[in-house]
Structures are given as structure tokens and as C-alpha cells.
């Protein structure tokens, strides 16, 4: 047995005057009568004053005492069995990176949330607690309905490092877990905006503070020819220094004996971001750090080597001498391709004649026709970016299959099939395409698109909140291994996975073997902007019968039944007397 409101037991104090009224008799005034035989129970001696004596209406006293007891139990919210032991409370914690911001007392917003959450659990006398973390993909920190001590322990080990996100889906999920008419406690660092949809059962508690902040909003690294190029973008949000020192340290790479360390002074504009580009020779990991401020996490990054892997290109037999010569000339000067011994395994980009089963076909079959324009290109095609065909003489044959990318009248000069196979319908022996700027630009676009379709990650540094692009091959069993665990990857070809929930290194595995890796940096400009943070406590708009709180349950009705029965029985007993 337990009591939801122990103060209700004070109603038992009504038993004292009730019992006293039955034992205590008042002083009787003298009454003059002519004879005593007219009285039913004559008493020759009158009482002289107040005194205690045994009474004869025990049944009435017991019934009235029972009524007082029933009323006290109802006011105290008495509970039996399972309802006496179980009190469920649902807590939601904002999983955004800004929850790691420092407060004036030296702690973080998340530390204050932990303290406040413990107070709520104690105030609600909760025995089972469910703790959720909001994010791009909401997750359970503790529960559902975990022991209160274990739930608070799990919250102690929770780290908020997620990107900016919409919290409404998490709050709706929490409301379902709490049940009808039960409150949900949400802890964050900013008051709700006007366009935020807050469920009526949610109590919104903000414990943040509006502060200025200087942050890295982007960091990229590219390694090529033994040289690492690091590009940084630094922004200032709100009041703060107009100039900041960035400490950049490059660890020694495979070909270097010692690292490099330098300090860059960066002038920050009032709006926008300042861009800095640094280069290092034979560098290993590059660490960049800004002076600690309100949010230290967005001022430190580590950039691992990100070499540009050349695209393997293979030329098959059957190409015309003019086509092979034009291709060899481009491959000899392009830094993004590799041929011969540099190629391991099957080539990523294979080029062959018009009738070959290759990734790219080059040549013309059937009746040949020469076109000097006008040429029409498919808008939005990445393969035709910056390809200028003015002044080109193009000799083509029969129309190839696929979606037309370049046409001249009814002739299809370039087409692409659904699987990505590209057809260049051109006879270079009778054309001047290979002697114009359009030729290297077109082949460069082809190589770029081939790189995007190579197994692994097209990009090796991503910010928080960015979708994770990845390319897989058919027939393999892939998995993504990261800070949040190992998850399978389904599908083949160019995929876009949901944004990772936390920063760190993510490794793509195929059949248990590491294929490629990507670094998700703890950078998010929306989270670094602390100007909109603040404190607030918005009460829930109660819609159910739980007005006492999220952990409260409906009062037991049986004490009211006992109270009513006792009063009716007492009325019956006293009426007969």
C-alpha cells in the first residue's frame, strides 16, 4: 500500500473530536417534576457536571469512524498492489550539440538538465522512467519503463552531440509512451519558437543561455601529390572578438620525420565566414583548434589524410586510331586517372568502340553525317557541365540507345542509358571535337561521374546533419560501422544514407572487410549559433484527467463507496434509536 498524497491522512484528526463527543456529557440544569414514574428510566441522582462515562451507541461511533477513515484514504490517494508500486515518468532530452555549451558556473547545459531531471523524478515519486533523446533519428536512452535509478544513471553517460533537428516527432513518440492524459517533460536549451508544434501534454523546460560564439563551420582536406590542402571556414555568431588565432598542427606523414605547427590569425567579418586555405607537405593527421569559448566542441577538428584515388581507366580493343590517340592524349595529362600497372582489378571506367560492352562507347556506326550546329544539350546533366560546342564539327552515325544528352536536329550525338552507360556517337577521324576545349571538359566530366560511382564514399569529410553518400556494388554485403554501432547497408549503386546521429569515424565494410571511411565532424552552423538560446518553463496544456502530473494516476474510487455506505448505515442505526 502507498499514498499518492500523504498529507491527506491529516483528515484522521477528525476522529479525536468525534470520539470525545461520544464520551463527554454536558452539565444538566435542575428540572422540577411532580413525580418520577413518568420517566422511562428514572435516575434519582442528577449529574453534577462534565464527566466521562461509558456510552451505549458503539455501532454509530464505529460507522462514523469508518466514514472518517474512508474520507482520509481518498484524500491521501491510497493505492494497493501494482498501482501502489508503479509510477511511470517520460523524460525527453534534446540531443543537439548546443546542449554541450558552457554556462557561467562552468558546467554545461546538459549537466543542468541531469540535475533538473533527477528533481522531477523525485518530485513525481516515479518508480519507472523512460528517457528519450531527440535527434534526426530519435533513440531511447533508458527504458521503456526502466528503474528510476538506472534511467538516471543512463542519462549521466549520455552525450549530446547531434545536429540541428525537429523535436516534434520525438515529443509525439514520448506522448504515446506516456499514455493518455500523462505529462512528458522535455529538456532543451531554447524556448519554443512560434512555429514549433508542441504537443499539449509536454512541459517544455529550457535551461540555455544566449551567448556569443566563434566556431568552425566547415573543414575540408584534399591530398594530392604528397601535398595536403586544408580549407577552413570560421564564423562569429553574436558579440565576440573580431580576430581569432587558429592553431594548426600537422602530424608527420609517412615521408616526413617531424610535423608542422603554425598559428593563423583570422579576421572575422560581422556577417558570413572567413575562409583560410593552408598547405602541408607529407602530412599525417591535421589538428585545428580555436580558443575555447561558449561551445568548445565546434572549435576543434582532426582531419585524416584524404588522398585522391585516381580513377582506373581501361581502353579495349577495336577503337579507331583517331579515337585511341585522342584518349591517350587526355589520359597522359589528366591527374585524376591511372592506367596500366597503376590499375588494380577491373577498371572503373572502361572505354570501347560503339558495339563494345563497356562503360563508355566511342565511335559511330551506319551512315555518317556531319553537323556544325546548332547543338542542343540536356539541361541539368552533370556530364555536360561547361561543355561548349561552338565551332565544333561533329560527324555522327546511327542514333545510339538511351536518353539523349546532345542532339543536332534528329541526330543523337551523346546518350546515356539507365544503368549509366554512356554513348559518344562521334567519328573523331572526320571531326574536330578532340581539338577543341569541349573534348577535355567532356572527358573530365565523365571521369568525375565515374569517381562518384566508385565503391566507397565520394566525400571523406562531412558536417553534422549532412546526408551520408555512399556507393556500393551489387552482390556484396555491406555494413556501416560507426560510433552508434554497426548497421547494415541495403541497396546497390549510389546511395544516400540518413545523416549520422553523432560525429566520429564511420567505416564502410563489405563482407567483413574495410572498404572506405569517412569522418563526420562536430560542426553545424545552426548549433554553433547560440544567440537564440535561453531559459523558459512552459507548462503543459492538460487535455486528460491527469492534472496532478505525469506520474499521477486516477484516484481509487472504493474509499468513496465505503464512505457513502458508512453514512447510510449510520443514518439507519441512529434513526432506530
Amino acid at each position: 500500500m502507498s499514498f499518492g498524497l500523504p498529507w491527506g491522512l491529516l483528515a484522521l484528526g477528525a476522529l479525536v473530536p468525534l470520539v470525545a463527543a461520544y464520551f463527554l456529557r454536558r452539565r444538566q440544569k435542575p428540572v422540577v417534576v411532580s413525580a418520577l414514574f413518568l420517566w422511562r428510566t428514572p435516575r434519582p441522582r442528577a449529574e453534577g457536571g462534565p464527566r466521562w462515562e461509558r456510552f451505549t451507541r458503539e455501532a454509530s461511533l464505529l460507522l462514523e469512524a469508518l466514514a472518517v477513515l474512508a474520507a482520509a484514504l481518498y484524500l491521501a490517494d491510497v493505492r494497493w498492489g501494482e498501482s501502489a508500486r508503479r509510477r511511470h515518468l517520460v523524460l525527453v532530452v534534446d540531443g543537439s550539440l548546443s546542449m554541450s555549451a558552457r554556462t557561467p558556473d562552468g558546467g554545461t547545459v546538459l549537466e543542468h538538465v541531469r540535475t533538473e531531471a533527477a528533481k522531477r523524478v523525485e518530485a513525481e515519486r516515479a518508480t519507472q522512467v523512460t528517457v528519450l533523446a531527440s535527434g534526426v533519428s530519435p533513440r531511447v536512452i533508458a527504458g521503456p519503463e526502466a528503474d528510476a535509478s538506472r534511467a538516471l544513471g543512463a542519462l549521466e553517460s549520455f552525450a549530446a552531440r547531434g545536429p540541428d533537428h525537429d523535436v516534434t516527432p520525438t515529443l509525439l513518440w514520448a506522448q504515446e509512451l506516456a499514455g493518455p492524459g500523462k505529462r512528458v517533460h522535455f529538456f532543451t536549451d531554447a524556448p519554443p519558437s512560434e512555429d514549433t508544434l508542441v504537443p499539449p501534454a509536454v512541459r517544455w523546460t529550457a535551461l540555455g543561455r544566449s551567448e556569443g560564439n566563434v566556431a568552425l563551420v566547415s573543414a575540408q582536406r584534399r591530398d594530392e601529390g604528397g601535398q595536403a590542402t586544408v580549407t577552413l571556414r570560421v564564423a562569429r555568431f553574436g558579440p565576440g572578438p573580431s580576430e581569432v588565432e587558429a592553431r594548426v598542427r600537422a602530424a608527420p606523414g609517412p615521408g616526413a620525420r617531424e610535423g608542422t605547427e603554425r598559428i593563423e590569425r583570422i579576421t572575422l567579418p560581422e556577417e558570413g565566414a572567413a575562409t583560410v586555405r593552408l598547405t602541408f607537405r607529407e602530412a599525417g593527421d591535421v589538428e585545428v583548434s580555436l580558443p575555447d569559448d561558449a561551445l568548445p566542441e565546434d572549435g576543434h577538428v582532426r582531419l585524416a589524410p584524404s588522398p585522391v584515388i585516381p580513377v582506373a581507366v581501361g581502353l579495349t580493343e577495336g577503337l579507331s586510331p583517331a579515337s585511341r590517340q585522342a584518349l591517350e592524349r587526355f589520359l597522359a595529362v589528366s591527374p585524376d586517372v591511372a592506367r596500366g600497372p597503376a590499375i588494380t582489378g577491373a577498371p572503373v571506367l572502361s572505354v570501347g568502340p560503339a558495339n563494345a560492352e563497356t562503360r563508355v562507347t566511342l565511335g559511330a556506326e551506319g551512315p555518317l553525317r556531319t553537323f556544325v550546329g546548332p547543338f542542343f544539350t540536356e539541361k541539368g546533366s552533370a556530364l555536360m557541365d561547361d561543355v561548349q560546342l561552338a565551332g565544333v564539327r561533329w560527324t555522327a552515325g546511327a542514333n545510339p540507345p538511351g536518353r539523349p544528352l546532345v542532339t543536332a536536329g534528329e541526330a543523337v550525338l551523346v546518350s546515356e542509358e539507365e544503368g549509366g552507360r554512356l554513348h559518344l556517337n562521334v567519328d573523331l577521324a572526320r571531326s574536330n571535337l578532340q581539338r577543341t576545349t569541349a573534348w577535355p571538359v567532356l572527358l573530365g566530366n565523365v571521369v568525375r561521374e565515374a569517381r562518384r560511382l566508385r565503391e566507397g564514399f565520394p566525400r571523406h569529410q562531412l558536417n553534422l546533419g549532412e546526408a551520408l553518400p555512399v556507393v556500393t556494388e551489387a552482390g556484396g554485403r555491406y555494413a556501416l560501422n560507426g560510433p552508434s554501432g554497426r548497421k547494415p547497408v541495403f541497396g546497390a549503386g549510389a546511395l544516400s544514407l540518413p545523416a549520422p546521429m553523432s560525429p566520429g569515424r564511420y567505416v564502410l565494410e563489405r563482407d567483413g572487410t574495410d572498404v572506405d571511411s569517412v569522418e563526420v565532424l562536430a560542426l553545424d552552423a545552426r548549433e554553433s549559433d547560440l544567440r537564440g538560446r535561453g531559459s523558459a518553463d512552459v507548462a503543459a496544456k492538460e487535455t486528460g484527467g491527469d492534472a496532478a502530473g505525469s506520474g499521477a494516476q486516477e484516484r481509487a474510487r472504493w474509499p468513496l463507496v465505503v464512505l457513502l455506505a458508512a453514512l447510510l448505515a449510520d443514518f439507519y442505526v441512529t434513526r432506530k434509536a
Side-chain angles (χ1 to χ4, degrees), residues 4 90 114 218 223 254 260 263 295 317 334 345 367 397 411 422-423 447 484:
V90 178
R114 295 189 184 111
S218 177
D223 291 78
T260 303
I263 296 178
L295 186 60
E317 297 294 332
S334 177
L422 185 67
H423 301 282
V447 172
S484 56

Side-chain angles (χ1 to χ4, degrees), residues 348-350 357-360 383 401-403 415-423 449-450 452-454 471-472 474 492-494:
V348 175
L349 184 63
S350 57
E357 293 295 329
T358 54
R359 184 82 179 176
V360 179
L383 292 170
R403 177 173 65 97
S415 67
E416 183 182 23
E417 296 190 53
E418 186 174 352
R421 190 182 183 199
L422 185 67
H423 301 282
E449 293 303 308
R452 292 179 179 176
L453 297 176
R454 182 173 51 198
V471 179
T472 60

Side-chain angles (χ1 to χ4, degrees), residues 425-442:
N425 182 17
V426 58
D427 185 352
L428 295 182
R430 302 175 61 177
S431 307
N432 68 343
L433 175 64
Q434 70 275 22
R435 292 188 291 272
T436 66
T437 58
W439 176 250
V441 173
L442 177 59

Side-chain angles (χ1 to χ4, degrees), residues 482-502:
S484 56
R486 189 174 184 272
K487 298 181 180 179
V489 177
F490 301 102
L495 307 175
S496 181
L497 304 181
M501 293 186 295
S502 59

Side-chain angles (χ1 to χ4, degrees), residues 97-427:
L97 179 66
S98 60
M99 295 288 287
S100 300
R102 299 287 174 179
T103 55
D105 60 0
T108 65
V109 177
L110 185 58
E111 291 174 356
H112 291 284
V113 166
R114 295 189 184 111
T115 303
E116 184 64 23
K119 293 180 180 178
R120 298 282 175 88
V121 171
E122 182 178 0
E124 300 288 349
R125 296 178 300 280
T127 57
Q128 272 74 38
V129 178
T130 300
V131 185
L132 305 180
S134 67
V136 178
S137 299
R139 62 191 182 98
V140 178
I141 300 177
E145 302 187 22
D147 183 74
S149 59
R150 291 188 178 183
L152 294 177
L155 183 58
E156 287 291 332
S157 60
F158 169 69
R161 305 188 67 191
D164 181 71
H165 59 276
D166 182 14
V167 301
T168 303
T170 310
L171 297 181
L172 293 175
W173 182 26
Q175 188 174 256
E176 293 179 1
L177 293 176
K182 305 299 177 60
R183 285 187 192 171
V184 172
H185 296 263
F186 175 55
F187 300 97
T188 182
D189 61 347
S193 59
E194 295 181 356
D195 57 347
T196 302
L197 179 61
V198 182
V202 173
R203 179 181 176 182
W204 187 297
T205 304
L207 302 175
R209 178 184 174 92
S210 178
E211 296 184 84
N213 185 42
V214 176
L216 287 164
V217 294
S218 177
Q220 296 293 324
R221 172 175 176 170
R222 179 185 176 95
D223 291 78
E224 189 173 2
Q227 177 174 289
T229 302
V230 177
T231 304
L232 307 174
R233 295 182 69 243
V234 185
R236 179 182 61 181
F237 301 97
S242 59
E243 192 177 59
V244 67
E245 290 186 350
R247 184 179 299 273
V248 185
R249 180 183 180 276
R257 294 184 178 181
E258 59 183 12
T260 303
E261 185 172 351
R262 66 178 72 170
I263 296 178
E264 293 289 329
R265 300 189 66 86
I266 304 173
T267 302
L268 303 175
E270 293 185 2
E271 298 293 337
T275 303
V276 179
R277 184 171 286 106
L278 310 171
T279 58
F280 302 91
R281 295 292 303 179
E282 306 297 340
D285 290 351
V286 176
E287 297 180 3
V288 182
S289 60
L290 300 178
D292 288 344
D293 51 9
L295 186 60
E297 279 75 6
D298 60 9
H300 301 269
V301 296
R302 178 190 293 267
L303 302 176
S306 179
V308 177
I309 302 177
V311 176
V313 179
L315 304 182
T316 64
E317 297 294 332
L319 288 169
S320 66
S323 297
R324 181 173 289 275
Q325 183 181 9
L327 290 170
E328 294 281 4
R329 208 164 41 240
F330 169 79
L331 297 176
V333 299
S334 177
D336 298 335
V337 299
R339 293 193 59 212
I343 302 177
T344 58
V348 175
L349 184 63
S350 57
V351 185
N355 57 358
E357 293 295 329
T358 54
R359 184 82 179 176
V360 179
T361 64
L362 177 60
E365 290 184 328
L368 300 179
R369 291 182 295 172
T370 301
F371 302 91
V372 294
F375 301 102
F376 301 94
T377 60
E378 177 70 20
K379 293 183 179 180
S381 174
L383 292 170
M384 304 311 298
D385 287 347
D386 299 326
V387 177
Q388 304 296 328
L389 298 177
V392 172
R393 185 177 71 252
W394 192 302
T395 300
N399 290 344
R403 177 173 65 97
L405 300 181
V406 180
T407 59
E410 297 182 356
V412 178
L413 309 183
V414 181
S415 67
E416 183 182 23
E417 296 190 53
E418 186 174 352
R421 190 182 183 199
L422 185 67
H423 301 282
L424 302 179
N425 182 17
V426 58
D427 185 352

